[in-house]
Amino acid sequence: MQELLTSFKQWLMEEGKSPKTMESYVGDVAKFHAYLIEKAVDTSQPLSRFTFVRYKQYLIDNEYAIATINKKITSLKVYNDFLQKKGIVSDSYIQLKRDRIHIVHCDPKSRQYKFR
């Protein structure tokens, strides 16, 4: 996994990403990898739709801020693009339009959100 992170960072550099963006993306992907190891998920494939959906639910269940979750989703989408270009995965498992969290309504009294 560390080799993948190093290659990902190099690819981001080649793509002209800023140092802060690279740091953010690589950090988010490293946390995703740590989650996979912690949850004893099969790490032979660096990303799948199943692991992504479980990770997203984990973030929601642990009450991460919506902006933070969406930032992590964006980082994983870029990582998915990298894995596809390198031929490591064949599918695009993350679609931002579908997977990002959109707040439809928030009840200020109960602080309950309805998501779309």
Side-chain angles (χ1 to χ4, degrees):
M1 292 266 188
Q2 189 57 44
E3 290 175 23
L4 266 180
L5 284 176
T6 303
S7 295
F8 180 52
K9 187 173 184 177
Q10 179 64 38
W11 180 77
L12 291 170
M13 194 178 306
E14 291 166 4
E15 291 287 307
K17 300 297 183 192
S18 76
K20 283 289 188 190
T21 298
M22 290 189 314
E23 181 182 325
S24 176
Y25 286 177
V26 171
D28 287 341
V29 172
K31 288 177 184 167
F32 173 72
H33 283 177
Y35 164 83
L36 294 179
I37 292 166
E38 177 187 319
K39 298 298 181 184
V41 176
D42 177 19
T43 57
S44 63
Q45 187 170 344
L47 181 67
S48 69
R49 181 71 189 164
F50 176 74
T51 57
F52 165 72
V53 169
R54 284 186 62 188
Y55 183 62
K56 179 180 167 184
Q57 190 59 53
Y58 164 82
L59 296 173
I60 292 167
D61 291 347
N62 284 280
E63 299 181 355
Y64 280 74
I66 292 169
T68 301
I69 295 171
N70 284 337
K71 182 183 94 49
K72 290 178 182 296
I73 290 170
T74 298
S75 297
L76 288 171
K77 168 63 174 137
V78 173
Y79 182 59
N80 192 168
D81 294 345
F82 158 76
L83 294 172
Q84 273 190 287
K85 287 189 172 136
K86 295 296 181 182
I88 298 169
V89 300
S90 58
D91 292 325
S92 181
Y93 300 115
I94 303 166
Q95 284 83 41
L96 294 180
K97 234 179 177 174
R98 173 182 68 184
D99 291 319
R100 288 179 57 108
I101 297 174
H102 304 278
I103 300 173
V104 176
H105 174 73
C106 173
D107 180 1
K109 291 179 184 175
S110 68
R111 298 183 62 95
Q112 294 292 316
Y113 294 96
K114 293 184 181 176
F115 301 108
R116 178 173 61 93

